[in-house]
Amino acid sequence: MNRALTLVGSVAGAVVVALDGTVLTVAQPALQRDLRASFTQVQWTSTAYLVAVAALLVFAGRLGDRYGHRRAFAWGMLGFGAASAGIGLAPDIGWVIGLRVAQGVFGALLQPATLGMLRAAYPPDRLAMPLAVRTSAIGLAAAAGPVVGGALVTGLGWRAVFFLNVVPAFGFGVLALVLRGPERAGPADTPLDLPGALLLAVTLACLVASLVAPHPAGLALAALTGAAFVRHERRTASPLLPPQVIGSASVGAALGILVAASASLFGTLFVGTYVLQDTLGLDPFRSALRSLPLAVLMVASAPGCAVLLRRAGARRTAAAAMAVLALGVLLLSRASGTLALCCGFALLGAGFGTVMVAATHVVVRQADVGSAGVAGGLQQTALNIGPTLGVAAAAALMGPGTALPLTVLAALAALGAAAARALPGRSVASITQHPDEQARSAVPARR
């Protein structure tokens, strides 16, 4: 596929996943009533998906590196659409939970491919704007999801929200299979490191499940399998995580920043719901209006980040964005009036939209084309662990007031700003180019 179609496909895949998560939240109460499910069972419709997708993202990225990201994208979209249709037809809550696991598996296959395709299609110095477009689309989908989901549930019932993504998922999946084009894939005999993939999957699954529902045994198992994974990766000849990616200080810092930023944002949104509806007595609609600047600024700030990356570099851009995010959290911890609330949410959106592009740019650009899927899987894993960690921390700290959890979340964002010192500056390329890219860079580009 050419660059324009690759960008459209990447955006479509990211939007399908983002919409699915936001519309499900709106549909859960109606789903619970219709299927006569318990509250715990309804929670598992989210948890089952989250555990499956977090456990498999990195290995799915490795599959894309070996067999081609376009192929991984196609089968991920087709499977995601089929699972969505199955949930819309599910006769009971057990089927819904089981199909959400299947949806998580295909979502894991799909998400790293959306970044891997961009890395393969665009040279490193032109990646920022496609990533910005993708981030803006995610912000727009997140903002539209509750509105679209609410309208569908009200007019057609909860099953309609799962049919929402079926047509675009099948359409783009088939298109990716039909429109064949040049695509780099790894050598067919490159080991997939199945033992490493299994250890990492168990580690991440236990970690995410334990954060959602805290349990000492789950955390202990995650620690044990995590240590075994690290030992295995150091000894194996073909590790799941390429040393040039995971061994880079800038990639490690960027992943940490993504965890900190998403934890701060989603933890703040969790607390903010109680502030708006319980403390201030606003109904859900008026609460949504107060938080609307978050989505608007997230969409608007992503393209601006591409300009900032060229002029200031990833280090200054990410540090400033995390500082803005921390300031937004602190403002919301003390806000009660409409103007202060809107300003706080606007700062959250501007900071998160900017840092998402900047940190993702560092992670994906650092990897060569042959490791772009693993890099995309790591980026997506960070964005799955962060919100889970943030909500878990906020829930644990919620007591008589909301000041403490928001202060802690602001401090976490400030730590992310400090970590940005490890990112490359404006004058530092800090990338590993694919041989083909090196050859192209020696030839003046045609204008």
Side-chain angles (χ1 to χ4, degrees), residues 37-248:
S38 67
F39 181 71
T40 300
Q41 288 174 319
V42 172
Q43 279 186 313
W44 269 101
T45 62
S46 296
T47 302
Y49 173 87
L50 186 61
V51 170
V53 75
L56 297 173
L57 279 166
V58 175
F59 182 62
R62 181 65 174 265
L63 291 175
D65 289 333
R66 176 168 171 173
Y67 298 108
H69 298 298
R70 177 185 52 78
R71 188 176 291 110
F73 171 83
W75 290 112
M77 287 289 264
L78 292 172
F80 197 92
S84 298
I87 296 171
L89 300 171
D92 57 50
I93 190 65
W95 276 96
V96 173
I97 295 172
L99 286 167
R100 284 288 287 170
V101 173
Q103 201 176 37
V105 172
F106 287 109
L109 190 63
L110 164 65
Q111 291 181 62
T114 63
L115 291 171
M117 291 193 304
L118 291 181
R119 177 64 182 89
Y122 290 86
D125 59 349
R126 296 180 61 185
L127 262 177
M129 189 53 72
L131 291 174
V133 171
R134 182 180 179 274
T135 300
S136 293
I138 292 173
L140 192 59
V147 178
V148 174
L152 288 173
V153 172
T154 301
L156 300 173
W158 66 268
R159 297 179 187 274
V161 304
F162 291 101
F163 290 120
L164 176 65
N165 284 326
V166 172
V167 172
F170 276 117
F172 280 97
V174 170
L175 194 65
L177 289 178
V178 171
L179 295 180
R180 297 181 179 275
E183 180 180 29
R184 297 188 186 98
D189 59 348
T190 300
L192 290 174
D193 188 18
L194 294 177
L198 178 61
L199 287 170
L200 182 61
V202 173
T203 300
L204 292 173
C206 291
L207 177 62
V208 171
S210 298
L211 289 174
V212 173
H215 198 286
L219 289 174
L221 182 57
L224 288 174
T225 54
F229 172 73
V230 171
R231 183 179 181 183
H232 169 80
E233 290 292 284
R234 288 177 175 175
R235 295 186 172 189
T236 186
S238 300
L240 177 65
L241 302 180
Q244 70 269 24
V245 176
I246 197 64
S248 166

Side-chain angles (χ1 to χ4, degrees), residues 300-341:
S301 64
C305 180
V307 178
L308 289 174
L309 285 171
R310 288 196 302 270
R311 295 184 177 180
R315 183 186 305 147
R316 293 179 178 178
T317 300
M322 290 300 289
V324 169
L325 182 60
L327 182 60
V329 178
L330 286 176
L331 181 56
L332 288 174
S333 69
R334 293 163 174 78
S336 58
T338 299
L339 180 60
L341 289 169

Side-chain angles (χ1 to χ4, degrees), residues 250 308-318 361-362 365-366 420-431:
S250 60
L308 289 174
L309 285 171
R310 288 196 302 270
R311 295 184 177 180
R315 183 186 305 147
R316 293 179 178 178
T317 300
H361 184 256
V362 171
R365 177 173 172 162
Q366 178 70 33
R421 289 181 296 178
L423 299 183
R426 184 172 64 89
S427 61
V428 180
S430 185
I431 62 170

Side-chain angles (χ1 to χ4, degrees), residues 259-307:
V259 171
S262 56
S264 299
L265 174 67
F266 284 88
T268 300
L269 292 178
F270 176 81
V271 177
T273 300
Y274 289 92
V275 172
L276 292 170
Q277 297 187 26
D278 291 353
T279 305
L280 301 181
L282 301 175
D283 59 39
F285 179 73
R286 288 191 294 165
S287 297
L289 290 179
R290 301 299 194 282
S291 62
L292 188 60
L294 187 155
V296 173
L297 267 294
M298 181 177 170
V299 172
S301 64
C305 180
V307 178

